[in-house]
Amino acid sequence: MIMKKILVTGGLGYIGSHTVVELQNSGYQVIIIDNLSNASLDVLEGITNITKTPPAFERLDLRLKADVADFFKRNQDIEGIIHFAASKAVGESVQNPLLYYENNLNTLIYLLQECNAHGIENFIFSSSCTVYGEPDSLPITEDAPVKSATSPYGNTKQISEEILKDTCSISALKSIALRYFNPIGAHETAEIGELPAGVPQNLVPFITQTAAGVREQLSVFGDDYPTEDGSCIRDYIHVVDLAKAHVIALQRLLSKKNQSNYEVFNLGTGRGSSVLEVVNSFEKTTGENLNYKIVDRRPGDVIAVYADTQKANKELGWKAEKTMEDALKSAWKWEKKIRKIK
Ligand code: UD1
């Protein structure tokens, strides 16, 4: 059997690496490109240890248009692309908007130009629930309005979706944008996981680093929100469930089961959890005591977001299977491994 060759951009990153594992486990041949700006070559080893197959890898910066064109000339047999490569720190995007627009938009345009030039028709895109802003009603369906973005990062996701939609309407391109809620956790083997550079901005890496003694104390940003316990609510989804959804979305395009050339799906669990619930769940699942304090709200945080997952359940036939406890347990196992804690 000839294995279909899939390009995964940003395949050494957090969600990318877990997706490469699921693709290889499903029989796809993977080629990764990554510029290593926020990822390490060690991830290749982790993927290989899990799947027993080393994925092909090229260090390539997608902002270099000529290099991108050259890559596709050398790789004529790519049948689909899963595009993760992008910058993702909300705060940094406010400080350096042009970096975000260049990194997240130019790269998408160059890739799509190569798709057109080489007849590559299947394209999965990493989008975010951030496009919904503070939603008018919960749970959030895919029909909820896209709100004006509050950061350049969020804006790049909105503009990227429009670029894809416009391109799909006039070419052979078929694309699925996957709007992630809050991905957490690590592979159960602890061979791969999240490796935030510097001080983590996201909740779960901050929790695990605090428990590991790398950070002194977790700050819980606000307990005066109009929610049951006063802290913000998010839909935390296990990264392995998320990774599996990418394989299913790709298969939908490859087998031409898509209903239109451009589709959007929410990827979440459908359950909202408060920050304090996550903290309590971490303590309960791992037996670790977490040093935390309540501090002021973090500017820009929305109160509550969680997904309506019915469209993904019905049309993709995908459903998140793992629990919050599974995710926190795996995140802690990973943190302990990288910090060499017994
Ligand atoms: C946001 C975006 C998401 C984007 C991500 C990138 C929304 C709804 N989500 O996620 O699309 O991909 O940024 O980083 O806009 N918290 C603490 N203490 C901490 C860290 C976080 O209390 O040290 C709280 C936050 O206030 C928030 C929750 O934990 O309520 C989750 O925060 P985080 O992990 O940063 O993700 P979002 O801000 O939801």
Side-chain angles (χ1 to χ4, degrees):
M1 195 181 87
I2 299 168
M3 296 196 303
K4 290 195 161 80
K5 186 162 160 187
I6 306 301
L7 168 63
V8 181
T9 75
L12 297 184
Y14 175 43
I15 306 172
S17 58
H18 288 83
T19 301
V20 170
V21 165
E22 297 306 321
L23 281 169
Q24 294 200 147
N25 283 344
S26 303
Y28 291 97
Q29 184 193 347
V30 173
I31 179 161
I32 295 173
I33 55 181
D34 201 300
N35 69 358
L36 301 179
S37 64
N38 194 21
S40 148
L41 270 181
D42 296 345
V43 177
L44 274 178
E45 201 181 307
I47 294 170
T48 309
N49 288 344
I50 299 169
T51 61
K52 312 292 174 226
T53 311
F57 169 72
E58 263 195 50
R59 181 173 186 169
L60 191 131
D61 193 322
L62 287 170
R63 290 172 297 188
L64 305 175
K65 189 176 164 120
D67 289 3
V68 177
D70 177 64
F71 172 85
F72 281 93
K73 267 197 204 105
R74 287 183 286 107
N75 291 275
Q76 297 277 349
D77 49 350
I78 290 171
E79 299 204 27
I81 301 178
I82 307 186
H83 179 42
F84 292 103
S87 298
K88 61 167 187 179
V90 176
E92 184 188 42
S93 80
V94 176
Q95 297 308 319
N96 199 347
L98 293 180
L99 173 75
Y100 274 66
Y101 289 119
E102 182 187 29
N103 242 352
N104 295 5
L105 298 181
N106 288 17
T107 56
L108 174 66
I109 293 166
Y110 299 158
L111 276 175
L112 293 179
Q113 286 172 335
E114 295 304 320
C115 285
N116 281 344
H118 295 278
I120 301 167
E121 297 182 354
N122 307 299
F123 196 95
I124 307 293
F125 178 68
S126 277
S127 191
S128 167
C129 69
T130 197
V131 302
Y132 299 118
E134 185 85 69
D136 301 324
S137 62
L138 291 166
I140 307 172
T141 67
E142 288 80 353
D143 299 328
V146 168
K147 297 273 178 74
S148 173
T150 54
S151 72
Y153 160 77
N155 206 20
T156 65
K157 292 298 172 191
Q158 297 188 0
I159 297 170
S160 295
E161 287 196 0
E162 286 171 7
I163 291 172
L164 281 168
K165 195 171 163 199
D166 292 345
T167 309
C168 287
S169 77
I170 51 85
S171 68
L173 189 77
K174 298 176 288 168
S175 180
I176 295 180
L178 298 173
R179 292 175 176 165
Y180 314 149
F181 283 67
N182 288 55
I184 60 167
H187 197 267
E188 59 177 1
T189 58
E191 290 286 350
I192 53 172
E194 191 170 8
L195 263 182
V199 182
Q201 305 300 308
N202 295 114
L203 179 63
V204 170
F206 209 107
I207 289 178
T208 54
Q209 289 197 10
T210 305
V214 181
R215 309 282 154 208
E216 203 181 314
Q217 189 172 50
L218 167 76
S219 296
V220 171
F221 298 133
D223 69 347
D224 57 352
Y225 284 98
T227 62
E228 208 153 294
D229 63 23
S231 62
C232 289
I233 291 179
R234 298 285 182 275
D235 184 337
Y236 296 93
I237 173 164
H238 198 302
V239 67
V240 172
D241 277 332
L242 195 69
K244 287 179 177 164
H246 289 76
V247 179
I248 293 171
L250 178 73
Q251 279 162 347
R252 178 177 173 91
L253 294 183
L254 290 170
S255 59
K256 303 189 174 13
K257 297 231 169 70
N258 52 306
Q259 291 188 356
S260 63
N261 282 354
Y262 175 71
E263 296 180 307
V264 174
F265 291 97
N266 283 342
L267 296 183
T269 65
R271 281 185 310 276
S273 305
S274 73
V275 176
L276 290 170
E277 277 169 355
V278 179
V279 167
N280 291 334
S281 173
F282 179 81
E283 290 188 320
K284 211 168 138 203
T285 325
T286 63
E288 298 292 322
N289 254 331
L290 203 63
N291 181 17
Y292 72 91
K293 66 169 181 209
I294 312 285
V295 302
D296 287 347
R297 293 180 178 195
R298 179 172 72 176
D301 272 341
V302 292
I303 305 165
V305 276
Y306 51 94
D308 185 316
T309 60
Q310 285 186 65
K311 187 177 176 201
N313 297 163
K314 283 191 196 125
E315 289 192 33
L316 287 182
W318 168 89
K319 198 172 190 308
E321 281 164 358
K322 294 178 183 286
T323 62
M324 167 76 76
E325 287 70 30
D326 295 333
L328 294 174
K329 211 180 272 179
S330 65
W332 181 228
K333 186 175 175 188
W334 164 249
E335 187 75 52
K336 283 198 293 188
K337 185 190 169 198
I338 57 176
R339 306 290 167 195
K340 302 189 170 50
I341 298 172
K342 287 275 170 259

